[in-house]
Amino acid sequence: MQLPPKFINFDFHFQTIFGGITLALCFVFYGLILLPFFGAWQVISALVLVLGYGDKKRIPYLVTVLGWGLMTTIMINSDFFREALVFLFLILIPAGIGVWYFTITRRDYLALKTPEPNPDILDTEI
């Protein structure tokens, strides 16, 4: 099934603007507040495209997010959770996963914007 061009277009531009703001502010408290909302949008986007349109390249992203969520939940509920792990599990890993998903969306957006080559019959070799 083909991906919906309007959704991909909106998703790319939304992630570019909202993600850029989040990334620009990530070293201050306001950026950290925006990070969960940006991640939630990306998960919703992936679920819509996987469940609604059968996009298989976003399944590894969803599995990674699920694994990260389970590991983070286990770590928070254990005695092993320290300040360094808070930074790693609640800031660095989600930011890396978010950048990964943005690159997937960007590739889809660029694929929609670049026309597929239409070979001319006269240009084909016999």
Side-chain angles (χ1 to χ4, degrees):
M1 196 179 270
Q2 191 169 0
L3 296 178
K6 287 183 181 180
F7 185 79
I8 294 295
N9 190 22
F10 173 78
D11 191 20
F12 172 74
H13 286 96
F14 181 80
Q15 284 189 50
T16 301
I17 293 167
F18 193 62
I21 292 169
T22 303
L23 199 59
L25 297 174
C26 73
F27 297 106
V28 295
F29 185 68
Y30 299 113
L32 297 178
I33 291 172
L34 294 176
L35 193 59
F37 295 106
F38 183 63
W41 167 257
Q42 288 184 326
V43 170
I44 291 168
S45 167
L47 286 171
V48 166
L49 292 171
V50 168
L51 299 176
Y53 295 95
D55 185 20
K56 298 202 182 317
K57 65 183 159 292
R58 284 175 169 77
I59 292 174
Y61 165 79
L62 289 172
V63 170
T64 303
V65 168
L66 180 65
W68 166 82
L70 290 173
M71 281 184 14
T72 303
T73 303
I74 291 168
M75 295 293 285
I76 287 174
N77 292 326
S78 74
D79 293 333
F80 187 67
F81 204 62
R82 304 280 184 254
E83 289 80 16
L85 293 177
V86 169
F87 183 72
L88 178 69
F89 278 92
L90 299 181
I91 298 170
L92 283 182
I93 292 175
I97 293 171
V99 169
W100 174 36
Y101 187 76
F102 176 75
T103 59
I104 295 170
T105 303
R106 183 174 182 267
R107 268 189 241 133
D108 288 340
Y109 173 77
L110 293 175
L112 287 174
K113 292 299 175 188
T114 55
E116 293 190 25
N118 211 358
D120 192 7
I121 293 175
L122 297 176
D123 290 339
T124 58
E125 293 184 29
I126 300 177

